[in-house]
Amino acid sequence: MKIFARKIILLFIPILWMCFLSIEKTSNDLYKYEVVVPNLSIPWGFTFLPDNSILITEKAGKLTHFKNGKKHEVAGLPKVEQYGQGGLMDIALHPDFENNNFIYFTYASSSGEGKGVNTALTRAVFKDGKLTNKKTLYKASPNSNKGQHFGSRIAFDNKGYLYFSVGDRGNRDENPQDIMKDCGKIYRLHDDGRIPADNPFIDVAGAKKAIYSYGHRNPQGMEMNPFTNEIWTHEHGPRGGDEINIIKAGKNYGWPKASYGINYSGSKFTNKTTIEGMENPLHHWTPSIAPSGMAFVSSDRYPKLKGKLLVGSLKFQYVSVCELKNGKVVKEEKILENLGRVRSIEQGREGYIYVGIENLGIVRLNPKK
């Protein structure tokens, strides 16, 4: 009987294997990838210059200009601390970069109040391979000795406002729900660091005036939706409860009072997934995929992807293709699987999708002809 059962199993193994292959082929058959910038450790963020060269941040504190197939280290960075999950993080161009040469970047900084570090946002002029005229536009305070949850992403909206995220810095019970404190927030500024007069807490005594929304854990994805002009984010949950949110002025996104996640130990910290008066995520992942980087596809180069949202998974090492309908994720597919931890995603100026993958580099998604 055992011999017969073994024969049955051996008979079905090739069939199961072919089914597995067909599933893999279905999700990846339309695309191939090409390594454009090799040998990057943790490419946290990157952005394309008008000449299609690339500025790339690496968490270890290195800013690289990739041009004509060669890497050039950019001089003039401020002091970047390597501190737990923190380091050199996101980067973005000013919408009028061609005229002012302004770039923006976030990083872990020890400047300011208290021991430890916190997330800083700095503007600089990038020209001739170096940074000059550096100005710190915002520094979360006080510093913290904890190594978790720095955020951080940067996005401009279609009106020229600058948004950036700072995680709760591992202090979930104090920071995210308190608008008198930094961390666990999305902030909004003018491009020169001034606080907009219509920010939601501008008239609240003691509040951090740059806060635009609060109740966030660790947002590592942020992008303006080019079809609706809304600011979308995603953030890490703990064990489960990663979220996608549409950011609205003054709204509370619930962390940690409401969450689909649980503690890493398996215990609960809340029994609520929704609370009246707080914003519900438009999508959540349980179990957690550890999302990082996001991009909307508006390019005609990918007919089957156009209009969809791409989200990277650090934990499971793939790009999730999220199909959207009425502001909800109705279907997901996986592409670029098992190349490494996906850290960052951008749509280039010529319409191709580029993905920053840890310990590999930046790859371009090419439609198969």
Side-chain angles (χ1 to χ4, degrees), residues 4 12 15 18 41 46 62 69 119 136 143 147 186 199 217 237 241 261 289 314 320 343:
F4 177 76
F12 274 94
I15 297 173
M18 289 304 294
S41 175
F46 60 96
K62 184 178 180 181
T119 302
T136 298
N143 290 330
I186 305 296
N199 264 15
R217 185 173 183 266
I289 68 167
L314 292 166
S320 176
R343 176 59 69 176

Side-chain angles (χ1 to χ4, degrees), residues 11 13 24 31 41 124 212 232 245 268 295 312 320 349 354:
L11 178 65
I13 283 175
E24 294 294 302
Y31 309 102
S41 175
Y212 195 72
W232 286 42
N245 290 296
K268 289 186 176 182
S320 176
R349 291 172 178 266
Y354 294 79

Side-chain angles (χ1 to χ4, degrees), residues 6 8 10 20 29-30 34 86 106 128 134 136 183 211-212 215 217 229 233 246 253 258 267 319 324 347 354 363 369:
R6 188 178 296 117
I8 292 294
L10 290 173
F20 173 77
D29 192 43
L30 296 175
E34 173 186 355
T106 51
D128 300 326
K134 294 184 289 290
T136 298
C183 305
I211 294 173
Y212 195 72
R217 185 173 183 266
N229 297 325
T233 68
I246 299 175
Y253 288 79
S267 63
V319 172
L324 306 170
Q347 181 175 286
Y354 294 79
V363 306
K369 295 180 181 179

Side-chain angles (χ1 to χ4, degrees), residues 158-175:
N158 64 328
K159 297 178 181 178
Y161 289 112
L162 168 64
Y163 300 77
F164 66 101
S165 65
V166 180
D168 69 10
R169 296 294 284 107
N171 190 346
R172 76 178 185 198
D173 296 322
E174 295 184 20
N175 290 340

Side-chain angles (χ1 to χ4, degrees), residues 112-345:
E113 176 189 350
K115 294 182 179 179
V117 300
N118 217 324
T119 302
L121 169 74
T122 287
R123 184 185 75 178
V125 170
F126 172 69
K127 194 173 182 180
D128 300 326
K130 60 184 178 182
L131 302 181
T132 59
N133 297 62
K134 294 184 289 290
K135 178 184 179 183
T136 298
L137 302 187
Y138 202 89
K139 169 65 172 45
S141 65
N143 290 330
S144 170
N145 287 319
K146 293 190 175 184
Q148 312 101 291
H149 306 172
F150 291 79
S152 173
R153 292 294 174 188
I154 306 168
F156 280 90
D157 69 9
N158 64 328
K159 297 178 181 178
Y161 289 112
L162 168 64
Y163 300 77
F164 66 101
S165 65
V166 180
D168 69 10
R169 296 294 284 107
N171 190 346
R172 76 178 185 198
D173 296 322
E174 295 184 20
N175 290 340
Q177 288 294 318
D178 191 345
I179 61 171
M180 313 293 173
K181 295 181 178 180
D182 279 320
C183 305
K185 314 294 194 304
I186 305 296
Y187 301 84
R188 184 179 76 151
L189 300 173
H190 287 293
D191 63 349
D192 59 0
R194 290 176 298 117
I195 296 173
D198 61 346
N199 264 15
F201 304 111
I202 197 79
D203 295 324
V204 178
K208 299 283 186 176
K209 312 301 185 185
I211 294 173
Y212 195 72
S213 66
Y214 64 109
H216 300 283
R217 185 173 183 266
N218 192 24
Q220 289 188 354
M222 181 156 58
E223 193 82 9
M224 188 189 78
N225 183 328
F227 306 103
T228 66
N229 297 325
E230 300 160 321
I231 296 294
W232 286 42
T233 68
H234 64 58
E235 62 186 81
H236 291 260
R239 190 171 156 187
D242 300 339
E243 298 182 357
I244 299 177
N245 290 296
I246 299 175
I247 301 304
K248 300 173 184 176
K251 296 298 184 180
N252 182 348
Y253 288 79
W255 176 255
K257 294 182 178 295
S259 175
Y260 287 89
I262 58 176
N263 288 315
Y264 290 111
S265 65
S267 63
K268 289 186 176 182
F269 55 87
T270 179
N271 61 359
K272 298 180 188 233
T273 57
T274 182
I275 296 175
E276 188 175 354
M278 297 184 183
E279 297 297 298
N280 295 320
L282 66 88
H283 185 70
H284 72 91
W285 288 276
T286 301
S288 169
I289 68 167
S292 187
M294 67 190 297
F296 289 90
V297 183
S298 59
S299 170
D300 290 327
R301 292 189 182 273
Y302 310 94
K304 292 184 179 297
L305 295 182
K306 189 172 182 180
K308 296 180 180 179
L309 174 67
L310 306 183
V311 175
S313 169
L314 292 166
K315 184 176 182 180
F316 295 116
Q317 302 187 10
Y318 64 79
V319 172
S320 176
V321 179
C322 301
E323 184 176 334
L324 306 170
K325 187 175 182 180
N326 299 324
K328 298 289 183 183
V329 176
V330 295
K331 183 181 177 183
E332 289 186 71
E333 264 191 301
K334 300 174 185 177
I335 59 174
L336 296 180
E337 295 180 78
N338 301 318
L339 298 180
R341 285 160 52 89
V342 177
R343 176 59 69 176
S344 44
I345 310 174

Side-chain angles (χ1 to χ4, degrees), residues 21 93 245:
L21 286 177
L93 300 188
N245 290 296

